[in-house]
Every structure is written in structure tokens, then in C-alpha cells.
């Protein structure tokens, strides 16, 4: 018995010591599976000698993991790459982010990165409307989805789960022409929520629902494969998340983490984003095929969004149930 | 002197009765089952270092908490009843009658445990929705825009019931195969008819197995997140698990404490369910003497064909339709493209097997995790059950409702507990971020799955044989090897199989604990699906099911040499 026990302890020790390489960074990302994998591989190729360990999930679930790590007092990641600037702003307020003033921000609009150098946008991902080709009418505005022909046919991702959906909610509510009124009308018109953008897209593609709010690249990528859907930017404009990257103040390898930020902001990193089918954040990098030339964006006040985040999310779940 | 006193009051086993094995086992189980939960509960009353009941009070003063609690109890009870009706009628048909194709029926009825619940939910939504291929072909599809019948409490109950039915079915079957024949024969000789025998002999004797299965089903239902999330959120029907998920979406430091407080409610419900089961078992003595005998075969006569047809209709509904939905969507290039000769493609399979290196890794990880958890927990469950039921150990009695908790808690909550617990090195070993933390979480979560059938088995079996061996001077280990293990093996194997199937596809725990290199299959399927790559996710799910089938075939071959009843689907 004792022999077995000591053997187990030895094995555990061996495993845990092998897990720590010298030059390693840990990345938590909300990117899609294959994109996260490609990004990490490209980074490793550009920076030989740095090991990368990564985890992906929806922004909310990732934040739960991170919050538990904060509570236990030993956050693991060096770099986080998540959906939206509002979440980043809240982390910055808690003093969780490391300012990186020397980051290469040439070619980026000023509203795309934090002025103190705590986080930097890497892409522009807009949320518009996807509709199935069987839909009774082609929507032009968000308010079109309140029409009786769209009754029980609308689906949207939940802001409780998806960072992009949370930004979409704040953008709509902050817009004086839309506000909660739109959501209440959509709800009484039988609109429902799915968990993430993936679920929303799937419901529309399979014809279970015919209209949905969704992030741009899902329908655009799948239309190329023959999916029976179409994507529009409503005439009010789209909301956008920008997938910012940041270094945690508790990073054990800030030098390696800075290299990762450099890579994400570099021309090479931006071209990679474009080749993956995203609208790059850097000026002068061409957008992938299938994207509208100019996406009209609705304005968003991030600090206001952060202040109201909790209240709005609760309000949303009262209207839609989750 | 003191030692003897302690063992007399039943706190510790006496010398020669496994005393050496008891303590390490007890401590390990305490650590596994209690620590993550306890750490989390601490978080609910000591959110930032000072003690407060404030958060708990806020949660209890919130009307949505009570509404969700009511919904949880309602759905949990109804789904358990449905699962019991489905599972026990199938179990009795297969276990007691001369119905044909028993092996195939058992095999098929187990499979719904293998299909990830979110896939089952999706296929049922597709089946009854406006997009239904089946209904469209028949021309009776509802027009787009009609409210979906599955998005309702009834839909949640139906799917939860179907998902839990195999648990009840297998518990009952393990019980039936341990039932000695003499009693039934005696009753029949005295002139009792079939229904009389069923009512007065079989059902009462099956009570331990059946209640064990029901308790497990109830606990799984109240802790289930996937099905109420997919079907309940669109219907604005909140249960406790979906409420926790809503709370976790907030920013702010008190989030985890709020989630923890809500989990306390789920835990209380689970403990209440288990207490009820214990109370039901207290009233009678179910112990039987004798070794398992031949399976009884009641003649169904003219009812045989209708019974067979009904059974297969059930199988078609719970297994074939979801499987077909899954299989067809794995053959198209992207969701929404109709399947025909032109669009059919196997590229998804090629992608996940050869271009997506996480899939193969996840197969290896999940197989090792599920196999490891099943073996370790079976090895622990047999002596634990022995100490608990046959030696009536009072320490373990106190502990036994508590080991339900990690299973009843929503996976996300258990995972957060594990993060809080293992983030800093424990005894100088840091397992966070490795595959070992997932194994730890699985051991905690599935311990009760291994224990239930074994406890049912022990309370059904009389101790006479073991006492006889003791009279003849056999030591503790010798009695374990020659008497206890062979008697309990069928029950333990059933438990092991439960654990393997549940762990092989597990998602909610591992989704918060994985990192690159330690992906599980559940995580890979979720990640692909979440990334809008549902067709790839479907093809991985199909591969998982194929892998399980292959494993079962291998088991069947090995099972020919194993003792009777150790492979649940071999009749």
C-alpha cells in the first residue's frame, strides 16, 4: 500500500515538474478553435524558442475561469485575447493589466487601443443580420425584425454568454433611436436567444429560424461553402467588437507576452487575421473576400457600457430569459 | 483498549476486518468529495476574507431564485418519474421475459447515454421544427414561425427523462441478474401467476436497485445544464443551473460567491433526494442469499410481438433519429445545405482526423481519463460499499449523502471549486493546467455513480457467505478476493460502465479546466460547435460513437471469459 502511494506521488511530481519550460507563455483566448490554433502556430514560427500553452472558450466562460484564478490568488495566463474592450476596461480598472506603452500601434486608429497601453484591438468584427434564403422578406433595418412576418422567426446570441452579443446589446441600448424599446418589441414578436453566435447562425442556416443577429464572418465564411444564407449590415449600422489583446499584470513572462502583442499588431499578424477571414484592425491591410467595403458602425461609449453592464445584462435576461 | 471501543461503536473496522485499508480510503474520499465543494461554499460566505451571510441573503430574497427552485424540483421529479417508467419497463421486459433480440435491445437502450445531450436536444428540435426533413417529406411540417413544441417544460422533461432512462434500466438489470431464482419458483409452485409474482416478489426485491437508479437520475436531472439551457431559455423557463449561468455572466468580484450560494440550494435538493431514498430502504430487509441464477424467462405469448414492436419504437425515437440527424449533418459541407448525391462529402471526417490534431489527442485523453476514472472508482467503491453496508460504519454513513454533492452541482460550479482548490500547489504538487486536475474533478464527480450500484448490490446480498469464510479463518483480503468481489462484480461493472460513458463525453467540468494538450472529446466537440463548425462537431460525435461501439464489441469478446453478469448487456 505504502509503496503504491509513494509511487503515485513520484509520478505526480515528475509530471508537474516537466510542465514548466523556461520560456513559455500562457494564452487565454476567445478566438475560434482553428483560428486560435493557427495564430499560435504562426507566432511560434515567427518567434522560435517560445513555447505557447493556450485555452479557448467563450469570453464569459473564460472570464469565470480567470475570476476563479484571481480569487485563488494565482492567475495563470500571461496574455489574454478576448472579444471586447468593455471586458478589458473592467480588468484594467481592477489593476489586472500591464501597461505596454512601447507597443507598435502605428497604423491603428486611436479609438482602437487603450491610451495607457493596457489593451490593443486586433480585428474589427461587426454584428449584423443573417437571414435564410427562404425568408419572406429581405431585412434592411433592425426594426424590420419587429414586423409580423418575422414573428417567432428571430434568434440572437445571448449577451450573458458572448462578448460580441454584450457589445451589440450596449450599442443598441445606447442608440436613442433603438433603446430597450427594440428589444421589448422583438421579445413580444417571439424572438429568442441561443447561447453563442454559433447557435444563432446554426438556427438560421438550418431554417429553424429565418433571421438572426450574428457576427459577420460566420455567414460570410459559410456562404462560400454554399450555406443558404445571406448577411447584411442594417441601415442603422453595425456594432463591432475588436478582439483586443492584453498582458496581465501578474504575468510571469512579460517579455514573451510583449512579443505576442507585437506579433498580433504586426503586419504579419494582421495579414494572418485577414487570411482567416476577419476584417483586420490595421489601416492599409486588405479585407478578405466577401466583406462589404465599408461597414458603417454605430457609436459606443465603453465606459458607460461598463458602468451599466450588470444592470443591462439582468434587464436583458428578464426580457429574454437568458 | 480504546481501539476496541472505537470499533465496537462502529467508527472504525476491527482488526482483521480491513482496518488497514479503511483509513487511507476514508481520507481519500473525504478529500475528493468534500474539498472542492467545501472550498466553494467557503467562497459563498467569505467572499473576500471576511465572513458574511449578505450574499446568501441577497440570493434568498430574490424572487427569481425561488421560481427557479420550483422549476428545478418540478422538472427533476417529472423527469425522474418518466425515466423510471421508461427504464424499468424496458428493464423488466429485457430482464424477465422471453422477448427476442435481448442483447441488441440492451445495447441500443444504453446508447443514448453516449450521445452528447446538446446533440440530442438539437436533433429533437430539428425533428419537430419547421426545418424538419422528415416532416417536410411527409408534408406535415409546421410553417416557419410556429412556436416550437420542444421549447417548453414538457420538452425539457421529455429529454431529461430519455437521457436518464438508461441509468434506471441498467441499475434494474444489474439487480435482476443478482436475483436468485428460488423465491420466484417457490411463489409459482404455490400457484401465483405472473403479475402476482411481479408485484409480490420481483418489484419488492428490486427496490434497492431501482431506488438507487432513481436517486441517481434525480440528482443528474437537477444538475443538468445543457438541456434546460437549449430548451428552457427560449421558453423563458429558468431552472437553478441556468440561473447560475445567468449570474456568472456578470462582471464583478462577487459573481463566484453568488453562484456558490445558488449551488448550495442545488446541493440541499440533492441531499434531500438521497435522504428520501435512504428512508425508503430503511423500512424493509432486502438481503438475499444465493448466487445469481439463470435469467427468468416469462412467456409473453401473444403479447410478445406487440411488446417487441413497442420496444423498438422507443429505440427508434431515443436513438436512431438523433443518430441519423447527427450522421447526415456530418456528411454535408456546411449547415443548411441539403444532403444529396452532389453535396455528400467525407471531407469533414478527413479534416477532424488528419488536419485537426486536437481530435486524436482528445480521443487519447478522454479514453485515459474515462478508463482511469472508471477503474479507480470501481476499486474504491467495492471496499467502501462493504464498509458502509455490511459493516454499517458510522463515519461513512455520515459521509455518504455528501459524496452526491460533486455530482449534483453544476459542472461549472465544481470546476470553479477545483480551480480555487488546486490553483496553488497542494502538498507541493501543482496539477493546475495539466490533465491531472481533470482526472481529480472526474473522480470527485463520478464517485457516486460507482457507489450507487455497488451499495444497491451489497444491500441486496446477504452476508452469510462472507461470515462463513470468516469462521473458516479467511483473512480480510482473502474474503474480499474470493467472496465479496465475485458477488458484487456485476454491480461494480455496471457502475464502471456508467462512469466510463459519462466521462468519455463529459463537457461542463472539463470546459473550464482544459488547456492545449489536455483537451477532452467534449471540449473538442463544444469548441467546434461553438465556432460555428457544427458539421465538424457532428463528425467528431459520430467518431466517438463508433469508438464506443468498437470498445463494447471488444468488451463482449473479453466478457465471454468474465464471470456471469459482469458485462451488463450480455444476457
Amino acid at each position: 500500500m505504502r509503496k503504491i502511494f509513494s509511487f503515485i506521488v513520484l509520478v505526480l511530481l515528475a509530471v508537474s515538474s516537466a510542465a514548466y519550460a523556461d520560456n513559455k507563455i500562457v494564452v487565454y483566448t476567445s478566438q475560434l478553435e482553428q483560428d486560435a490554433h493557427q495564430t499560435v502556430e504562426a507566432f511560434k514560427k515567427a518567434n522560435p524558442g517560445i513555447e505557447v500553452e493556450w485555452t479557448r472558450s467563450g469570453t464569459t466562460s473564460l472570464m469565470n475561469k480567470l475570476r476563479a484564478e484571481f480569487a485563488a490568488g494565482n492567475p495563470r495566463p500571461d496574455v489574454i485575447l478576448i472579444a471586447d474592450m468593455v471586458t478589458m476596461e473592467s480588468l484594467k480598472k481592477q489593476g489586472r493589466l500591464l501597461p505596454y506603452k512601447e507597443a507598435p500601434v502605428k497604423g491603428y486608429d486611436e479609438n482602437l487601443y487603450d491610451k495607457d497601453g493596457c489593451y490593443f484591438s486586433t480585428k474589427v468584427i461587426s454584428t449584423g443580420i443573417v437571414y435564410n434564403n427562404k425568408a419572406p422578406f429581405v431585412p434592411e433595418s433592425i426594426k424590420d425584425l419587429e414586423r409580423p412576418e418575422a414573428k417567432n422567426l428571430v434568434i440572437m446570441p445571448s449577451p450573458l454568454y458572448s462578448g460580441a452579443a454584450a457589445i451589440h446589446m450596449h450599442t443598441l441600448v445606447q442608440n436613442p433611436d433603438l433603446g430597450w424599446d427594440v428589444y421589448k418589441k422583438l421579445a413580444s414578436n417571439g424572438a429568442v436567444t441561443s447561447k453563442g453566435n454559433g447557435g444563432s447562425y446554426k438556427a438560421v442556416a438550418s431554417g429553424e429560424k429565418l433571421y438572426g443577429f450574428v457576427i459577420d464572418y460566420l455567414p460570410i465564411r459559410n456562404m462560400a461553402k454554399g450555406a443558404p444564407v445571406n448577411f447584411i449590415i442594417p441601415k442603422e449600422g453595425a456594432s463591432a467588437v475588436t478582439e483586443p489583446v492584453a498582458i496581465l499584470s501578474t504575468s510571469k513572462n512579460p517579455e514573451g507576452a510583449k512579443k505576442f502583442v507585437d506579433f498580433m499588431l504586426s503586419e504579419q499578424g494582421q495579414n494572418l487575421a485577414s487570411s482567416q477571414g476577419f476584417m483586420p484592425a490595421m489601416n492599409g491591410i486588405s479585407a478578405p473576400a466577401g466583406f462589404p467595403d465599408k461597414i458603417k458602425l454605430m457609436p459606443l461609449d465603453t465606459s458607460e457600457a461598463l458602468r451599466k453592464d450588470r444592470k443591462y445584462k439582468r434587464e436583458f435576461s428578464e426580457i429574454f430569459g437568458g | 483498549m480504546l481501539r476496541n471501543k472505537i470499533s465496537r461503536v462502529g467508527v472504525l473496522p476491527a482488526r482483521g476486518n480491513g482496518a488497514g485499508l479503511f483509513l487511507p480510503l476514508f481520507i481519500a474520499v473525504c478529500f475528493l468529495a468534500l474539498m472542492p465543494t467545501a472550498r466553494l461554499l467557503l467562497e459563498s460566505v467569505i467572499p473576500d476574507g471576511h465572513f458574511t451571510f449578505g450574499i446568501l441573503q441577497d440570493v434568498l430574497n430574490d424572487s427569481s431564485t425561488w421560481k427557479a427552485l420550483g422549476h428545478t424540483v418540478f422538472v427533476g421529479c417529472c423527469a425522474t418519474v418518466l425515466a423510471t417508467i421508461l427504464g424499468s419497463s424496458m428493464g423488466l421486459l429485457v430482464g424477465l421475459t422471453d422477448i427476442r433480440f435481448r442483447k441488441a435491445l440492451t445495447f441500443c437502450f444504453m446508447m443514448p447515454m453516449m450521445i452528447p445531450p446538446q446533440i440530442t436536444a438539437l436533433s429533437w428540435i430539428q425533428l419537430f421544427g419547421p426545418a424538419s426533413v422528415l416532416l417536410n417529406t411527409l408534408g406535415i411540417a409546421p410553417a416557419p414561425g410556429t412556436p416550437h413544441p420542444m421549447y417548453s417544460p414538457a420538452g425539457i422533461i421529455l429529454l431529461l427523462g430519455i437521457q436518464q432512462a438508461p441509468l434506471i434500466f441498467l441499475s434494474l438489470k444489474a439487480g435482476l441478474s443478482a436475483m436468485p431464482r428460488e423465491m420466484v419458483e417457490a411463489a409459482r409452485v404455490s400457484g401465483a401467476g405472473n403479475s402476482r409474482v411481479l408485484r409480490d416478489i420481483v418489484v419488492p426485491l428490486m427496490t434497492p436497485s431501482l431506488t438507487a437508479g432513481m436517486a441517481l437520475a434525480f440528482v443528474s436531472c437537477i444538475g443538468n445544464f445543457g438541456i434546460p439551457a437549449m430548451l428552457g431559455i427560449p421558453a423563458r423557463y429558468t431552472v437553478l443551473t441556468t440561473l447560475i449561468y445567468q449570474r456568472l455572466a456578470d462582471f464583478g468580484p462577487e459573481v463566484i460567491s453568488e453562484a456558490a450560494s445558488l449551488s448550495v440550494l442545488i446541493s440541499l435538493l440533492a441531499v434531500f433526494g438521497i435522504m428520501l431514498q435512504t428512508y425508503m430502504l430503511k423500512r424493509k430487509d432486502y438481503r438475499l442469499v444465493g448466487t445469481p441464477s439463470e435469467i427468468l424467462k416469462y412467456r409473453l405469448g401473444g403479447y410478445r410481438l406487440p411488446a417487441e414492436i413497442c420496444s423498438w419504437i422507443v429505440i427508434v425515437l431515443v436513438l436512431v433519429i438523433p443518430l441519423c440527424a447527427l450522421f447526415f449533418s456530418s456528411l454535408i459541407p456546411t449547415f443548411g445545405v441539403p444532403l444529396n448525391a452532389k453535396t455528400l462529402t467525407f471531407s469533414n471526417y478527413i479534416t477532424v482526423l488528419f488536419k485537426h490534431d486536437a481530435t486524436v489527442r482528445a480521443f487519447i485523453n478522454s479514453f485515459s481519463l474515462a478508463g482511469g476514472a472508471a477503474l479507480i472508482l470501481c476499486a474504491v467503491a467495492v471496499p467502501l460499499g462493504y464498509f458502509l453496508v455490511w459493516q454499517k460504519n458510522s463515519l461513512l454513513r455520515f459521509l455518504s449523502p455528501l459524496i452526491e454533492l460533486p455530482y449534483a452541482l453544476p459542472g461549472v460550479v465544481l470546476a470553479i471549486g477545483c480551480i480555487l482548490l488546486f490553483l496553488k500547489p497542494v502538498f507541493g504538487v501543482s496539477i493546475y493546467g495539466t490533465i491531472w486536475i481533470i482526472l481529480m474533478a472526474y473522480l470527485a464527480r463520478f464517485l457516486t455513480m460507482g457507489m450507487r450500484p455497488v451499495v444497491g448490490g451489497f444491500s441486496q446480498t446477504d452476508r452469510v457467505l462472507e461470515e462463513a469464510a470468516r469462521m473458516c479463518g479467511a483473512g480480510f483480503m482473502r474474503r474480499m478476493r474470493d467472496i465479496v468481489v465475485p458477488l458484487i462484480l456485476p454491480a461494480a461493472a455496471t457502475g464502471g460502465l456508467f462512469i466510463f460513458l459519462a466521462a468519455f463525453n463529459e463537457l461542463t467540468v472539463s470546459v473550464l479546466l482544459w488547456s492545449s494538450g489536455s483537451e477532452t472529446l467534449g471540449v473538442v466537440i463544444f469548441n467546434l460547435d461553438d465556432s460555428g463548425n457544427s458539421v465538424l462537431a457532428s463528425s467528431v460525435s459520430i467518431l466517438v460513437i463508433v469508438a464506443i461501439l468498437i470498445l463494447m464489441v471488444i468488451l463482449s469478446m473479453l466478457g465471454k471469459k468474465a464471470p456471469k453478469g459482469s458485462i451488463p448487456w450480455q444476457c
Side-chain angles (χ1 to χ4, degrees), chain B residues 316-530:
Chain B
V316 165
L317 279 178
V318 301
L319 179 70
V320 179
I321 287 173
L323 262 184
C324 285
L326 201 59
F327 185 58
F328 292 154
S329 61
S330 72
L331 296 176
I332 48 178
T334 176
F335 227 69
V337 175
L339 181 67
N340 55 39
K342 253 192 281 189
T343 55
L344 187 134
T345 168
F346 286 99
S347 64
N348 294 320
Y349 288 95
I350 292 165
T351 307
V352 293
L353 279 176
F354 302 110
K355 294 180 190 161
H356 189 255
D357 54 357
T359 317
V360 178
R361 222 176 21 231
F363 261 100
I364 296 166
N365 287 342
S366 275
F367 185 78
S368 327
L369 281 168
L375 286 176
I376 294 171
L377 290 174
C378 278
V380 170
V382 172
L384 268 184
Y386 172 84
F387 290 130
L388 177 72
V389 183
W390 278 6
Q391 293 198 352
K392 300 200 167 38
N393 181 290
S394 47
L395 271 182
L396 282 179
R397 276 194 172 177
F398 163 75
L399 193 70
S400 74
L402 299 177
I403 64 170
E404 303 286 337
L405 294 188
Y407 183 65
L409 288 175
V412 57
V413 173
L414 176 69
I416 287 176
C418 284
I419 293 175
L420 292 171
L421 190 65
F422 290 116
L423 188 61
K424 293 213 173 116
V426 186
F427 308 131
V429 183
S430 171
I431 59 171
Y432 189 70
T434 66
I435 198 162
W436 300 99
I437 190 173
I438 304 182
L439 181 66
M440 281 295 190
Y442 281 7
L443 290 178
R445 190 164 179 77
F446 298 125
L447 177 62
T448 182
M449 271 195 154
M451 281 297 286
R452 297 241 134 241
V454 168
V455 167
F458 272 110
S459 28
Q460 224 178 1
T461 315
D462 202 316
R463 217 179 149 175
V464 181
L465 288 173
E466 194 233 359
E467 273 159 359
R470 203 172 140 189
M471 300 288 176
C472 305
F476 174 76
M477 279 303 175
R478 179 72 194 264
R479 296 200 305 269
M480 273 279 154
R481 201 183 61 212
D482 291 350
I483 312 267
V484 178
V485 172
L487 278 177
I488 297 300
L489 195 67
T494 304
L497 187 79
F498 281 172
I499 294 165
F500 188 90
L501 293 183
F504 202 63
N505 253 330
E506 195 286 327
L507 167 66
T508 46
V509 174
S510 49
V511 82
L512 278 185
L513 298 177
W514 74 282
S515 66
S516 53
S518 64
E519 301 90 343
T520 62
L521 282 169
V523 164
V524 166
I525 292 172
F526 164 80
N527 278 340
L528 289 171
D529 200 44
D530 196 44

Side-chain angles (χ1 to χ4, degrees), chain B residues 107-108 110-116 319 323 363 366-367 370-371 496-506 521 540-556 569:
Chain B
F107 208 89
C108 291
M110 279 174 44
M111 286 307 280
M113 282 176 80
M114 266 333 298
I115 306 175
L319 179 70
L323 262 184
F363 261 100
S366 275
F367 185 78
L497 187 79
F498 281 172
I499 294 165
F500 188 90
L501 293 183
F504 202 63
N505 253 330
E506 195 286 327
L521 282 169
V540 178
S541 305
I542 289 285
L543 289 173
V544 169
I545 290 165
V546 170
I548 291 284
L549 283 174
I550 292 172
L551 279 176
M552 285 182 171
V553 170
I554 294 173
L555 263 184
S556 304
W569 62 88

Side-chain angles (χ1 to χ4, degrees), chain B residues 41-373:
Chain B
L41 296 189
L42 274 182
E43 201 66 32
S44 74
V45 289
I46 314 178
D48 39 13
H50 42 83
F51 186 83
T52 167
F53 273 126
I55 292 175
L56 211 57
Q57 262 168 345
D58 290 347
V59 166
L60 290 180
N61 289 337
D62 190 349
S63 66
S64 54
T65 305
W66 294 103
K67 207 162 101 184
L69 185 72
H71 288 171
T72 306
V73 174
F74 175 71
V75 166
C77 291
C78 293
T80 307
V81 169
L82 179 67
T84 309
I85 294 170
L86 255 180
S88 55
S89 47
M90 286 296 266
L92 290 173
L93 268 180
V94 172
L96 285 181
T97 68
D98 63 345
I99 200 165
R100 285 166 299 183
F101 311 113
R102 285 231 227 5
K103 252 187 211 179
L105 268 175
T106 310
F107 208 89
C108 291
F109 202 68
M110 279 174 44
M111 286 307 280
M113 282 176 80
M114 266 333 298
I115 306 175
Q118 61 270 28
I119 306 257
T120 311
L122 186 74
S123 65
W124 279 71
I125 292 170
Q126 298 277 353
L127 181 68
F128 290 114
S132 163
V133 178
L134 183 79
L135 299 185
N136 276 317
T137 323
L138 297 173
I140 50 170
T146 36
H148 203 296
M150 291 304 290
Y151 292 143
S152 65
I156 300 174
I157 290 166
L158 179 70
L159 287 193
L160 280 176
I162 287 176
Q163 213 201 351
Q164 303 307 331
L167 281 179
I168 304 232
F169 171 77
L170 286 176
S171 312
L172 190 71
K173 241 182 127 287
L176 283 172
S177 64
M179 189 171 72
R181 203 168 168 165
E182 295 84 346
M183 293 210 175
V184 179
E185 308 242 306
R188 304 194 73 168
V189 168
S190 324
N194 281 353
S195 55
R196 185 73 196 264
V197 170
L198 191 68
R199 200 178 61 224
D200 292 349
I201 312 254
V202 176
V203 172
L205 288 180
M206 284 307 107
T207 310
S209 321
L210 200 59
T211 53
M214 280 176 76
L216 200 57
F218 178 74
V219 171
S220 324
C221 285
I222 58 175
N224 188 299
F225 169 72
I227 291 171
M230 273 188 95
L231 301 179
I233 288 175
R236 287 170 224 176
Y237 189 86
T238 320
V239 296
L240 282 172
T241 44
T242 46
L243 188 69
I244 287 175
Y245 151 79
Q246 287 178 17
R247 293 295 177 260
L248 280 173
D250 283 332
F251 290 126
E254 66 274 35
V255 165
I256 291 180
S257 324
E258 252 193 64
S261 312
L262 284 168
S263 322
V264 175
L265 289 178
I266 295 189
S267 313
L268 289 177
L269 273 186
V271 169
F272 178 74
I274 304 309
M275 295 275 184
L276 197 70
Q277 188 226 349
T278 320
Y279 169 75
M280 284 189 49
L281 288 185
K282 270 228 171 81
R283 293 175 309 169
K284 284 205 189 92
D285 188 350
Y286 298 100
R287 287 170 307 165
L288 299 167
V289 188
T291 44
S293 54
E294 279 296 298
I295 299 281
L296 294 158
K297 286 194 182 165
Y298 282 156
R299 293 239 166 117
L300 285 169
Y303 293 109
R304 187 161 83 171
L305 195 62
E308 282 171 353
I309 290 171
C310 284
S311 319
W312 286 105
I313 287 176
V314 170
I315 298 282
V316 165
L317 279 178
V318 301
L319 179 70
V320 179
I321 287 173
L323 262 184
C324 285
L326 201 59
F327 185 58
F328 292 154
S329 61
S330 72
L331 296 176
I332 48 178
T334 176
F335 227 69
V337 175
L339 181 67
N340 55 39
K342 253 192 281 189
T343 55
L344 187 134
T345 168
F346 286 99
S347 64
N348 294 320
Y349 288 95
I350 292 165
T351 307
V352 293
L353 279 176
F354 302 110
K355 294 180 190 161
H356 189 255
D357 54 357
T359 317
V360 178
R361 222 176 21 231
F363 261 100
I364 296 166
N365 287 342
S366 275
F367 185 78
S368 327
L369 281 168

Side-chain angles (χ1 to χ4, degrees), chain A residues 1 9 11-13 15-16 19-20 28 31-34 37 52-58 60-65 67-76 84 86-87 90 94 134 151-153 155 158-161 187-188 190-199 201-202 205-210 217-218 222 225-228 306 309-310 313-314 317-322, chain B residues 20-21 24 39 43 62 122 125-126 129-131 136 144-148 151 225 229 232-238 245-256 258 333-338 355-358 361 412 416 419-421 423-425 427-434 436 440 511-517 519 523-524 526-535:
Chain A
M1 194 71 218
V9 170
V11 167
L12 281 174
L13 278 172
V15 167
S16 58
Y20 274 95
Y28 281 13
Q31 280 187 302
L32 303 185
E33 168 85 19
Q34 65 275 30
H37 182 74
V52 181
E53 183 191 310
W54 59 276
T55 295
R56 83 154 292 277
S57 191
T60 307
S61 142
L62 214 52
M63 289 303 293
N64 287 335
K65 186 178 167 99
R67 262 195 300 258
E69 293 180 10
F70 290 150
N74 186 11
R76 199 175 153 77
D84 63 288
V86 173
T87 308
S90 80
Q94 294 164 29
K134 281 193 292 209
K151 191 161 180 63
N152 297 327
L153 291 176
I155 189 161
S158 166
L160 304 184
Y161 179 83
S188 62
V192 295
T193 59
S194 63
K195 268 172 70 180
N197 277 286
Y201 168 76
K202 202 157 55 173
S206 66
E208 188 214 325
K209 300 287 176 194
L210 299 181
Y217 57 84
L218 278 181
N222 283 295
K225 290 188 197 158
L306 182 58
D309 193 71
R310 191 166 198 177
K313 278 180 178 164
R314 294 217 168 185
S317 63
E318 261 155 42
I319 296 175
F320 285 100
Chain B
L21 182 64
R39 178 70 184 78
E43 201 66 32
D62 190 349
L122 186 74
I125 292 170
Q126 298 277 353
N136 276 317
T146 36
H148 203 296
Y151 292 143
F225 169 72
I233 288 175
R236 287 170 224 176
Y237 189 86
T238 320
Y245 151 79
Q246 287 178 17
R247 293 295 177 260
L248 280 173
D250 283 332
F251 290 126
E254 66 274 35
V255 165
I256 291 180
E258 252 193 64
T334 176
F335 227 69
V337 175
K355 294 180 190 161
H356 189 255
D357 54 357
R361 222 176 21 231
V412 57
I416 287 176
I419 293 175
L420 292 171
L421 190 65
L423 188 61
K424 293 213 173 116
F427 308 131
V429 183
S430 171
I431 59 171
Y432 189 70
T434 66
W436 300 99
M440 281 295 190
V511 82
L512 278 185
L513 298 177
W514 74 282
S515 66
S516 53
E519 301 90 343
V523 164
V524 166
F526 164 80
N527 278 340
L528 289 171
D529 200 44
D530 196 44
S531 307
N533 261 331
S534 316
V535 288

Side-chain angles (χ1 to χ4, degrees), chain A residues 43-276:
Chain A
F43 168 76
K44 284 204 295 205
K45 216 170 175 171
N47 296 276
I50 301 185
E51 267 306 303
V52 181
E53 183 191 310
W54 59 276
T55 295
R56 83 154 292 277
S57 191
T59 297
T60 307
S61 142
L62 214 52
M63 289 303 293
N64 287 335
K65 186 178 167 99
L66 203 52
R67 262 195 300 258
E69 293 180 10
F70 290 150
N74 186 11
R76 199 175 153 77
D78 300 288
V79 176
I80 49 174
L81 178 63
I82 52 179
D84 63 288
M85 294 207 272
V86 173
T87 308
M88 282 295 193
E89 188 62 35
S90 80
L91 287 169
K92 179 188 163 184
K93 283 222 163 62
Q94 294 164 29
R96 294 288 177 188
L97 302 183
L98 181 86
Y100 176 31
K101 290 249 200 267
E102 311 76 46
V105 291
K106 202 170 155 299
Y108 288 85
D109 293 345
E110 274 184 21
N111 58 0
L112 285 178
Y113 57 89
D114 174 50
K115 59 182 186 309
D116 302 320
C118 286
Y119 51 86
F120 310 90
S121 300
T122 60
K123 304 179 177 69
V124 177
I125 300 168
S126 57
T127 292
I129 298 175
V130 62
Y131 62 94
N132 189 301
N133 294 347
K134 281 193 292 209
F137 65 89
V138 173
E140 287 176 359
S141 127
I142 290 176
K143 289 185 174 172
D144 282 349
L145 302 183
E146 299 164 8
R147 285 161 55 174
E149 299 99 304
K151 191 161 180 63
N152 297 327
L153 291 176
V154 181
I155 189 161
M156 61 183 87
S158 166
L160 304 184
Y161 179 83
S162 147
I167 295 292
H168 191 245
M169 170 185 76
H170 284 294
T171 311
L172 256 56
V173 174
Q174 282 183 18
N175 184 331
D177 300 336
L178 301 169
W180 281 114
D181 189 46
V182 163
Y183 276 127
K184 285 180 180 137
K185 282 189 180 140
L186 285 175
S188 62
N189 204 21
V192 295
T193 59
S194 63
K195 268 172 70 180
N197 277 286
S200 242
Y201 168 76
K202 202 157 55 173
V204 175
S206 66
E208 188 214 325
K209 300 287 176 194
L210 299 181
Y211 302 97
F213 294 140
V214 81
I215 41 181
D216 55 21
Y217 57 84
L218 278 181
I220 291 175
R221 280 182 194 186
N222 283 295
M223 274 148 68
K225 290 188 197 158
V229 294
N230 239 312
F231 177 77
I232 60 132
I233 301 291
K235 67 170 191 276
E236 296 89 346
S239 72
V241 288
T242 56
E243 206 157 90
V245 62
I247 305 170
L248 285 197
S249 53
T250 43
S251 167
K252 294 178 191 70
N253 183 358
E255 290 316 305
K258 283 176 181 171
K259 285 209 174 78
F260 191 85
V261 174
D262 292 347
F263 173 80
M264 292 304 291
L265 299 178
S266 70
E267 207 161 312
Q268 189 191 357
Q270 290 293 302
N271 278 322
L272 175 73
S274 175
S275 70
Q276 287 169 338

